Every structure is written in C-alpha cells, then in structure tokens.
Amino acid sequence: MNAEKLAKLQAQVRIGGKGTPRRKAKKVSGKSSGDDRKLSAALQKLNVQPIPGVDEVNMFKDDGKVIHFSHPRVSAAPSANTFAIHGRSAEKELAELIPNIINQLGPDSMAALKKLAESFQAAQGENAGAAAGADDDEIPDLVESFEKADVEDKAEEKKEESA
C-alpha cells in the first residue's frame, strides 16, 4: 500500500464499531439546552408570568458594586416570591451608575453612597493640598519689587569691579 493512502486513511475518524462507515468529522448538536429545559420546567411549576416593559435591573451588593442587567427578560411568581431575570449582566461600580439609579437607592445603598462621596471628597482634598504644597515649595514669595533688586545687583557689581 502507498504511504500517502495509508496516511489519508489514518486521518479519517471511525465513529462506532466494526462495519460502520467512516466519517470525516463527528457531528455536534447545535444546542445543549438541558439546563434551560430544567429551569423552564421548574419555573412553569411555580406559574411564573413574564413582566413586560422592564428596561434595566440593578442588584446592589454589600461591597458597593452593582450587578446591572440592560433590557432583561423578567418573569415573576408573586405567590412563590420568585423572580427570574434572564439576560446579559455586567458588574459595575456604584459611581458609574449614580445619575441613572439615584431614585432606586434604598437606605443601605444610600449609606454606601455617602461613604463613596466622603472618600471622593477626601481624595479631592488630598490632591488639592498636595498640589498647593508643591506650588509653595517651588515658587518663593515675592518680598521686594524687581526694580529695587536690580538696582542692588548693579551696585554690588560695581563694588566687585572696583575692588
């Protein structure tokens, strides 16, 4: 047998036992939605109904970060106190979302917001103090007028020349 033919046969994949046709590639099913089926079956048992018109969902964490869903699919079963939120999420800092979520903040989140504001003001104060201190070290205060200093420099030069 030819080496090229042998290499070609070895490259092909045999799926199955003896007597089955050789296939060049294993077929992979497009979706493995086993988890989705289980989830939707569990939600149907709870009689979950979709809630239309939800633009965004924000979940506030204890560490000051926010889980933000933009245009999610929301379903709820009030009798079971269950809410299901489907969609892409992003974990963002509270400072990024403040203008849009100020009306959604509860008492716990307001405390976190106050802490954030205080830390921001402290950082601004340190930066301003450092900048002012750096400026004071580099530029001396003006004590005399320039004209008097120029006259004194010329007088000193004449004394050195005559000496």
Side-chain angles (χ1 to χ4, degrees), residues 42-51 74-85:
L43 291 175
Q44 282 179 350
K45 287 180 184 176
L46 295 172
N47 294 327
V48 174
Q49 301 297 322
I51 299 176
V74 180
S75 303
S79 60
N81 196 19
T82 304
F83 294 90
I85 301 169

Side-chain angles (χ1 to χ4, degrees), residues 97-118:
L97 299 171
I98 286 177
N100 299 331
I101 62 171
I102 199 78
N103 59 350
Q104 299 173 8
L105 296 175
D108 297 336
S109 299
M110 288 299 282
L113 181 62
K114 286 180 184 177
K115 277 178 151 176
L116 180 68
E118 289 171 0

Side-chain angles (χ1 to χ4, degrees), residues 60-100:
F60 299 95
K61 294 170 63 175
D62 290 336
D63 61 353
K65 296 192 177 194
V66 179
I67 300 173
H68 177 75
F69 291 87
S70 181
H71 301 291
R73 294 184 319 241
V74 180
S75 303
S79 60
N81 196 19
T82 304
F83 294 90
I85 301 169
H86 305 273
R88 293 190 182 262
S89 67
E91 188 170 304
K92 297 184 178 183
E93 294 290 332
L94 184 61
E96 294 176 37
L97 299 171
I98 286 177
N100 299 331

Side-chain angles (χ1 to χ4, degrees), residues 113-161:
L113 181 62
K114 286 180 184 177
K115 277 178 151 176
L116 180 68
E118 289 171 0
S119 65
F120 183 71
Q121 286 178 350
Q124 289 292 336
E126 289 174 7
N127 291 342
D135 289 345
D136 289 343
D137 292 340
E138 294 176 10
I139 302 172
D141 292 335
L142 182 62
V143 179
E144 304 177 344
S145 71
F146 291 113
E147 295 170 359
K148 289 181 184 177
D150 190 35
V151 171
E152 289 176 4
D153 287 343
K154 287 181 182 178
E156 287 178 12
E157 287 177 9
K158 285 183 182 179
K159 287 181 186 177
E160 290 175 5
E161 289 176 5

